[in-house]
Amino acid sequence: MAADRAASSHLFWRPGADPPPASAALDRGRANDERASAVRNVHAGLSLTQQRVRLPVFADRRRILYLVETFPTVVIVGHTGCGKTTQIPQYLHEAGWTAGGRLVACTQPRRVAAISVAARVAEEMGAELGAGAVGYAVRFDVRADAERTRILYLTHGTLMREMLADPLLSRFSVVMVDEAHERGASTDLCLALLKKVQRRRKDLRLLIASATLEAEALARFFGGTAPMRMRGPDGAVRLQPPVAVLTLVAARAHPVHRCFLARPCADYVAEAVRAVLELHVQQPPGDVLVFLTGQAEIDAARALLTDAMADAMADAMADGGADAKRRRTSLARHEPAARPTELLVLPLHGGLSRDEQLAAFEPPAPGARKVVLATNMAETSITLDGIVYVVDCGFVKQQIFDAQAGTEALVVAPISRAAAKQRAGRAGRTRAGVCLHLYTQRTHAAMRAATAPEVQRCSLDNLVLQLLSVGIRNVAQFDMPTPPPAAHLACALEKLYALGALTDRGALTSPLGERMAELPLTPLLAAMLLGAVEEGCAREALCVAAMLSVQTVWVGCSHKAQDAARAHFAVYEGDHLTLANVLRAFTRARDAPRWASRRGLDARVLQRAVLVRAQLARFLSRFGLPAENCGRETDRLRRSVVRGFFPHAAQRQVGGEYRAVRGGRRLLIHPRSVLFRAPPEWLVYHEVSQLTNGDEAMIDVCKIEPHWLTELAPLFYEVRTAQRGA
Ligand code: CDP
Ligand code: MG
C-alpha cells in the first residue's frame, strides 16, 4: 500500500508538508530501545538489544552523536560488521534527529544491501518493515510509509531521484553515505550533490562511512580537517574544521590465515568448487563464502558443487586431500568427527528475488555447513554471520568504458590488493578464519593497490543527464571527488545530444530531456520508450523496457534447456520482440506461475517485470503520453529500439563477426541471444559482455534496417561522418 502510494507520487512521503524545525537534541527518546528489547533473536540466544550494545560501534555512540551535532560532515571509519550501517541511523533516531517528521537517510551502493539492512533494522526496532519507522526505497521497489518512516535505507541512485523532486532534500536531517570508499559513480555523484546541497542548507548533516583507504580523500573533498571560519546553522561564525574524522574503536576482527596457490589455476570456478569440497571434508564447522564474478559462474559452481559433492567428498577423504598439497600453506586437517555433514549451497547476486537473497543470511540447520556463492556484493556492504572460510577467485566484473568506441562493456578484471584484503577479512568476523586466494602470491603482488573510482572507467551518459536535471550546466567544471575523464564526458554529451536530450547549448531539452532524466531507466532505454510513443507502440516498448530492467527470465537448469525455452518464443526480429512476447504471454496465462515453469521461465522475474512495466506506465501517463499498441506492425517497435540504441549499431562482416558501426569494435552475438543462429546483417544491441575466452559478445540484439540509423539518428551518424572527414 505504502509502495503504491510512493510509486504514484514519485515521492514516498506526503508532498507539501511543512519543513521540519532545524533543531536537534542529544539522547532524546528511549522508547525504541525498550520496544526492541521485547523482540528476541532466537538464533543467537541474546535479545536484539543485547546484541546491539555488544557491537563495537556502541562504545562510540555518544562520540558519534556529539560529532554529528557539532560538525557539518563527519567521516566515519570502521571495520565491516562493527555496526555502522545498522546502528548509526538508529542512534540518530533515538537522539532526536527524526523529530518533527524528519528523516535520517542511509544510502547504499546496492539494492540488496539497502533491503536486507532495512529488514534487519526494522526487526531490531520491533517495527514492521515499510509500515513503521524503518523503510527502504530502491529502484522499482519502495517500502516506506509517508507518515511513519523515520529511517530510510536507499540506494545512491534513488537519493538522486529524490533530489529531482526535492532539490534541497528538505525532509532529511542527516544523510549517511555508506560504503563511500567503493567510489561507485553514483556514490561519487551523490557526494558531489550533497556537498552542493549542504552549501544551501547549513542544517543538513552528512555522515560518510568509508574504509581507511579513502577516508582522507573524502574528508578533503568536504573541506578538510583544518579549522576555518564557518557559519553554523544558528548563523554564528566559528573557527572550526568543516569535517571531523572518527575512527571507531577497532572491531573485534579475528586473525585470518591467508593462503595462495603455489601454481596458477586455469579455471577458477572449478578450483573454487574443489576448494569448497576440500574445506568441507577437512575443516571444522564454519560457513564458507565464495567470491565469483557473476550469476553465470555462480550457477555453474552451484551445479558442480551439487553434482560432485558426494563423489568428491569420498575422493578427498580417500586420498587425503591431494589438492591441498598444491597450496603453499596447506591447512591442518581436523578430526572428521568435528565436520558438519550437510553442505547447503546458496547463491547471492543481484539477479535473485528478495526472498532468495535473504535466504543466504539464514543460519544453516545444526550440523550443516552453509556455502554462499556471492558476487562482489558480499565484499563490503553485506554482513553474513558465521563465515569462517573465504574463497576468493581474484576477479570482479566491472564496467569498462571505451572512449574510442563510445560504449562500455562488462569485463572480468583482476581485483586490487585492497579488495583481496577486504575479501579475506570477511572470514574473521566470528572467530579466526581462513582465506583461500585462488591465485599465486606473485599475481597478488602484481595487482593494483586499489581500484580506480568508477567515474574514471564507466559510461557517463546517466551521470551527465542527472547533473543537468538538477540544474548543473557546466558538467566539466562540476566539483566531483575525482573528476571524470574529459573524453568520456564529451562522449556522453554527444550521445545525449544525438538522443535529443540536450539543446545545442548543452541544456536539457524540455520535455524530452527532462522526461528521460525522470524515468528510472538508462538514458538509452528511456529514449527507446519515449521514442516508442512517437512510433505509436509504447505498449510494447513498456514490455521491452521492463524485461531489460530485470534479470534474465531463462532459467532452465542447463544451457540446452535454456536454448529450448528461448526457441519456443524466438522471433526473427530478435531478443527485444521475443522478450516482449514472453511478458505478454505471461500476463495472459491463466495459471501464470505454472505456465512459466513449464516453459523454463522464471515466474518471479516475470512477476517483477509486470510490476516494473506498471510503474513505467504510470510515468507515461503522468507525462500525458499515450501507450498505444502497434499490433502486428513490429517494424514500429524495432524503430523505437533504434531511436534509443542507435549508438549500439553493428554490421555483420564476411567472417560472421560484427563490427560496431561507431568505433569499429569487433563483436559477436552472445550465445544467449535468439539471433545467435540466425544472425542478421544489421542490428543494435543492448549490452556487451565479455565471454570467458575474452571475446566481447552482444547480449539482447534487435535486427534493424540500416537506413533507420540515418533516418532516426541523423545527428549521431552525421557527426561521425564529419569527424571522419576531418
Ligand atoms: O555497517 P557495518 O559493516 O559496520 O555493520 P552492520 O551492517 O551494521 O552490521 C552489524 C551487525 O548486525 C553484524 O555484525 C551482524 O551481526 C548484524 N546484521 C545482521 O544480523 N543482519 C543484517 N542483515 C545486517 C547486520
Ligand atoms: Mg555497513
Side-chain angles (χ1 to χ4, degrees), residues 388-643:
V388 178
Y389 308 99
V390 164
V391 177
D392 160 33
C393 77
F395 288 88
V396 65
K397 229 176 218 177
Q398 273 179 345
Q399 288 288 359
I400 303 283
F401 187 73
D402 176 347
Q404 213 191 349
T407 49
E408 64 182 355
L410 207 52
V411 170
V412 173
I415 58 171
S416 64
R417 285 201 300 278
K421 188 173 170 206
Q422 174 67 30
R423 287 182 175 187
R426 309 307 299 194
R429 293 199 357 94
T430 314
R431 55 185 158 88
V434 174
C435 177
L436 304 178
H437 297 286
L438 302 180
Y439 41 91
T440 63
Q441 224 151 12
R442 235 171 116 165
T443 307
H444 180 254
M447 286 171 168
R448 293 177 66 131
T451 319
E454 200 186 22
V455 288
Q456 296 199 311
R457 52 180 167 80
C458 75
S459 162
L460 300 172
D461 311 350
N462 202 32
L463 186 134
V464 170
L465 192 61
Q466 299 285 336
L467 282 178
L468 290 167
S469 69
V470 293
I472 287 143
R473 288 291 289 274
N474 193 344
V475 291
Q477 298 290 311
F478 185 60
D479 182 20
M480 297 276 292
T482 302
H488 296 194
L489 273 178
C491 275
L493 287 167
E494 191 213 340
K495 212 183 288 176
L496 290 170
Y497 178 61
L499 286 166
L502 297 190
T503 65
D504 46 15
R505 306 189 59 190
L508 216 54
T509 54
S510 179
L512 182 61
E514 288 168 4
R515 287 172 174 165
M516 275 172 63
E518 209 175 317
L519 281 166
L521 295 170
T522 61
L524 301 197
L525 267 180
M528 176 198 81
L529 183 57
L530 296 170
V533 175
E534 310 279 311
E535 297 284 346
C537 63
R539 182 79 54 94
E540 284 87 354
L542 281 168
C543 295
V544 176
M547 290 293 270
L548 292 176
S549 298
V550 296
Q551 233 33 52
T552 177
V553 292
W554 317 108
V555 287
C557 43
S558 65
H559 285 300
K560 216 167 147 191
Q562 288 177 20
D563 285 346
R566 259 191 299 270
H568 183 79
F569 292 96
V571 292
Y572 83 97
E573 293 98 332
D575 296 291
H576 296 70
L577 272 75
T578 304
L579 289 173
N581 289 342
V582 169
L583 188 59
R584 278 185 306 181
F586 176 76
T587 325
R588 279 197 303 263
R590 195 165 293 162
D591 182 354
R594 206 166 123 229
W595 177 91
S597 73
R598 277 175 148 190
R599 285 159 183 80
L601 298 165
D602 190 330
R604 275 170 301 187
V605 174
L606 282 162
Q607 201 55 57
R608 220 172 95 70
V610 170
L611 292 176
V612 171
R613 182 177 64 179
Q615 294 199 26
L616 293 174
R618 279 202 283 273
F619 275 92
L620 289 191
S621 67
R622 198 149 52 81
F623 298 152
L625 299 175
E628 288 168 313
N629 203 322
C630 66
R632 295 192 181 280
E633 286 182 64
T634 57
D635 278 9
R636 295 214 219 152
L637 182 55
R638 289 194 293 141
R639 285 168 60 91
S640 315
V641 177
V642 172
R643 281 172 181 265

Side-chain angles (χ1 to χ4, degrees), residues 58-102:
F58 186 74
D60 282 307
R61 183 177 184 274
R62 288 188 150 270
R63 202 185 323 238
I64 293 166
L65 291 173
Y66 167 76
L67 291 176
V68 174
E69 184 84 359
T70 316
F71 293 88
T73 306
V74 182
V75 175
I76 292 205
V77 181
H79 285 277
T80 315
C82 75
K84 299 180 296 296
T85 313
T86 55
Q87 304 308 307
I88 294 175
Q90 292 189 69
Y91 298 163
L92 294 167
H93 174 57
E94 291 154 9
W97 284 94
T98 55
R102 295 176 304 167

